[in-house]
Amino acid sequence: MLRLISRVFASAPIEGKSFCSAASLPDSLCSGFAVKNIMEPKLYRPPPEVRGMTSLDKEAFTQTITVPALRVPTGVLNKVVKSLRKATIHRPGVPRVVQDKEESSDFRLVLLDPHRVSSPSSFTEAEAEALRSFSVPEELQHFELRLTYHNLKSEEVLEAVLPQGQDVASGFSRVGHIAHMNLRDHQLPYKNLIGQVIMDKNPGVTCVVNKTNMIDSTYRNFKMEVLAGEENMVAKVKENGVTYEFDFSRVYWNPRLSTEHQRVVQLVKRGDTVFDVFAGVGPFAVPAARLGANVLANDLNPESHRWLQHNCKLNKVEKKVRTFNLDGRAFIQGPLKQELPALLKGKASVHVVMNLPGLALDFLDAFRGLLHQEPSCDENLPTVHCYGFSKDDNPEADVAERASQSLGFPLKDRCSVHFVRNVAPNKDMLCVSFTLPKEVLFSGDPEQTEASAEPAPKRQKCEEATDST
């Protein structure tokens, strides 16, 4: 509901609430005068009774505030609004132009932001000149504006509800129609209200979930509870022009890695071969295949493997991608080992992507002595892109050193380390890239190869396995 309560205040304040006219009082008396009496520092100050609310009552947030307005002839309305675009009010669901109910239909009211305009002298030189050119008087009027829950931002609602001094949980990851939150303990009593607010304030979100445990690094999924909305977990997302579908509750997907997916895929050329050891639902494999690469993609999680196959068909690259449902070590010492000798003799590049940052560095020893016969000349050795987490003061040096230890060969001055993202305080995700040394790959000692083929300890549930594909 929008209602005009007072028309023009040209000279004297009325009950301490009037705006000043530039023609009536000196700037020294007008500037900042009215808004300080009318408005608080924040445009919306919630009623105190909403504090501590755990079941959302939308009506409780309704409040009437007073904002300045300009009376503008309809003939120049669009030009005035354009000239004052930085001074007009910007609120969800609040129009900047309203009917002048007490006067002729030839006029409209343009609502202004009270933090930006407190008196006629608040207009910039350009704005004041525009008003003069359109013959619009610089006379501000009061307008009583009824704000409801629907006009509030999510952070305003949550800040009003949660106990003072506590973090406001308005951030989330968007996965298709699903908003994924990681609520802290003090926010859990308000979890359903938080979920409803997030769904209300974000068009297209029809389900809000909260992660309830650490990621299981065996299959890279986690338990979650629905806070609001439908329980449909099959999401459809588009990343870098590629469409993916998957059951978010049974596979791993991180929307924050789209830039990293694109960075690595752009290194691949038509005719190259890509071995994706921990492929997930295909964010490396599918776009690489779309570029014309031959891809062998693997994931241990049967659900990830199923959706990987689905996404290959969805993007019409199923003939370019061979999929496997193996442990990463078995994939390296099986399909990769079988394909590699012929590829080494070709000219096309070979890439090995290992995106399981909590554990991938430990899998590098699977390359030790993978092939028996050392070549007589330089071969087309594969490039490895291996991800890892680090909490070290020098994370780049840390992941390079750990990769060297796993390979049994020093990578100093033979690798590059790319910072991907900060995943937690003092915890970074990085990618170490290097040409697989022939001293590691080739071995004339069958016993060494057999020893390297011994399975690594089974993957364990741990925080360090999060934030991968």
Side-chain angles (χ1 to χ4, degrees):
M1 175 183 177
L2 304 172
R3 185 159 60 92
L4 180 66
I5 61 169
S6 187
R7 210 167 67 228
V8 177
F9 301 93
S11 57
I14 298 176
E15 297 179 350
K17 288 189 175 182
S18 72
F19 291 93
C20 298
S21 167
S24 59
L25 292 175
D27 285 349
S28 59
L29 296 179
C30 286
S31 181
F33 171 77
V35 171
K36 289 183 179 178
N37 288 340
I38 297 173
M39 297 301 304
E40 296 290 346
K42 292 185 179 180
L43 186 60
Y44 175 79
R45 296 188 69 83
E49 56 266 24
V50 304
R51 181 77 64 191
M53 178 187 295
T54 56
S55 179
L56 185 60
D57 178 5
K58 298 179 183 180
E59 294 300 320
F61 291 87
T62 300
Q63 190 175 84
T64 299
I65 64 171
T66 305
V67 298
L70 272 179
R71 189 165 179 264
V72 178
T74 55
V76 294
L77 182 61
N78 290 338
K79 294 179 180 179
V80 170
V81 171
K82 185 176 180 181
S83 300
L84 299 181
R85 60 184 179 276
K86 293 184 179 179
T88 54
I89 195 165
H90 294 277
R91 276 307 232 173
V94 174
R96 287 180 290 176
V97 178
V98 298
Q99 184 72 41
D100 179 7
K101 293 183 179 180
E102 296 186 12
E103 298 293 338
S104 166
S105 60
D106 293 335
F107 288 86
R108 296 289 187 274
L109 289 175
V110 177
L111 304 186
L112 304 174
D113 182 353
H115 294 139
R116 170 69 170 75
V117 179
S118 59
S119 74
S121 63
S122 299
F123 292 118
T124 65
E125 193 75 37
E127 291 167 345
E129 177 59 34
L131 293 176
R132 287 191 292 270
S133 69
F134 300 134
S135 300
V136 177
E138 296 179 44
E139 295 173 331
L140 298 183
Q141 309 194 19
H142 281 314
F143 192 86
E144 199 170 73
L145 182 63
R146 185 173 182 263
L147 291 179
T148 70
Y149 169 83
H150 302 289
N151 306 130
L152 305 180
K153 301 174 184 177
S154 58
E155 56 267 28
E156 289 179 311
V157 176
L158 298 179
E159 185 179 332
V161 170
L162 295 178
Q164 286 182 311
Q166 292 191 357
D167 294 334
V168 174
S170 59
F172 59 89
S173 296
R174 178 78 179 263
V175 182
H177 67 283
I178 302 169
H180 167 219
M181 309 192 76
N182 292 319
L183 297 182
R184 299 180 181 178
D185 289 343
H186 72 270
Q187 297 160 343
L188 293 179
Y190 310 92
K191 61 185 181 181
N192 297 114
L193 180 146
I194 292 172
Q196 186 64 48
V197 171
I198 295 301
M199 192 168 66
D200 289 343
K201 301 299 180 181
N202 293 276
V205 171
T206 58
C207 174
V208 182
V209 301
N210 181 45
K211 186 173 75 173
T212 59
N213 68 349
M214 293 299 178
I215 288 179
D216 178 348
S217 65
T218 302
Y219 287 161
R220 288 194 291 181
N221 56 7
F222 49 82
K223 291 182 179 180
M224 61 181 74
E225 63 175 333
V226 176
L227 304 182
E230 60 181 330
E231 295 195 16
N232 174 21
M233 293 295 150
V234 177
K236 182 175 183 178
V237 302
K238 196 161 190 176
E239 179 183 274
N240 302 323
V242 182
T243 300
Y244 302 91
E245 294 178 346
F246 48 83
D247 185 335
F248 185 55
S249 67
R250 305 188 71 179
V251 304
Y252 189 85
W253 179 268
N254 191 337
R256 296 185 179 94
L257 293 177
S258 62
T259 300
E260 180 61 15
H261 295 153
Q262 186 176 41
R263 181 188 74 86
V264 173
V265 169
Q266 286 177 340
L267 302 174
V268 178
K269 304 293 188 292
R270 178 175 294 277
D272 289 355
T273 297
V274 176
F275 295 95
D276 195 348
V277 184
F278 311 106
V281 299
F284 287 109
V286 173
R290 279 165 54 100
L291 289 177
N294 300 303
V295 180
L296 286 80
N298 171 75
D299 202 274
L300 179 62
N301 182 352
E303 280 294 310
S304 293
H305 178 254
R306 183 170 74 87
W307 287 105
L308 169 63
Q309 292 179 316
H310 173 83
N311 289 322
C312 289
K313 293 178 181 177
L314 184 65
N315 290 279
K316 298 179 173 56
V317 294
E318 66 270 24
K319 293 182 179 179
K320 301 288 291 183
V321 182
R322 281 182 281 168
T323 64
F324 302 84
N325 183 208
L326 302 170
D327 178 78
R329 187 174 297 276
F331 175 72
I332 293 171
Q333 297 175 341
L336 188 153
K337 178 179 178 179
Q338 293 168 10
E339 299 289 329
L340 199 53
L343 294 171
L344 295 180
K345 294 178 170 58
K347 294 183 179 180
S349 298
V350 179
H351 296 268
V352 180
V353 180
M354 304 176 67
N355 185 22
L356 184 68
L359 297 168
L361 292 170
D362 297 334
F363 280 75
L364 289 174
D365 66 354
F367 289 104
R368 292 189 187 186
L370 189 65
L371 303 180
H372 292 296
Q373 188 172 357
E374 187 167 345
S376 56
C377 59
D378 286 341
E379 299 278 344
N380 181 30
L381 295 169
T383 300
V384 178
H385 310 280
C386 186
Y387 291 82
F389 290 132
S390 178
K391 294 183 177 180
D392 196 84
D393 291 338
N394 188 343
E396 289 82 4
D398 175 53
V399 296
E401 175 59 28
R402 286 157 55 201
S404 299
Q405 291 176 357
S406 188
L407 289 169
F409 187 86
L411 291 178
K412 186 177 181 181
D413 301 325
R414 300 182 62 162
C415 70
S416 63
V417 180
H418 174 77
F419 172 82
V420 177
R421 58 185 290 261
N422 178 257
V423 300
N426 195 36
K427 181 180 178 182
D428 295 333
M429 178 180 175
L430 305 102
C431 176
V432 55
S433 297
F434 56 91
T435 299
L436 190 61
K438 63 181 180 180
E439 294 87 347
V440 174
L441 182 60
F442 297 101
S443 171
D445 182 2
E447 293 184 1
Q448 180 180 347
T449 305
E450 291 171 5
S452 69
E454 294 178 4
K458 286 196 175 238
R459 298 189 223 170
Q460 312 232 337
K461 292 182 182 179
C462 63
E463 179 185 3
E464 292 291 303
T466 60
D467 290 283
S468 52
T469 303

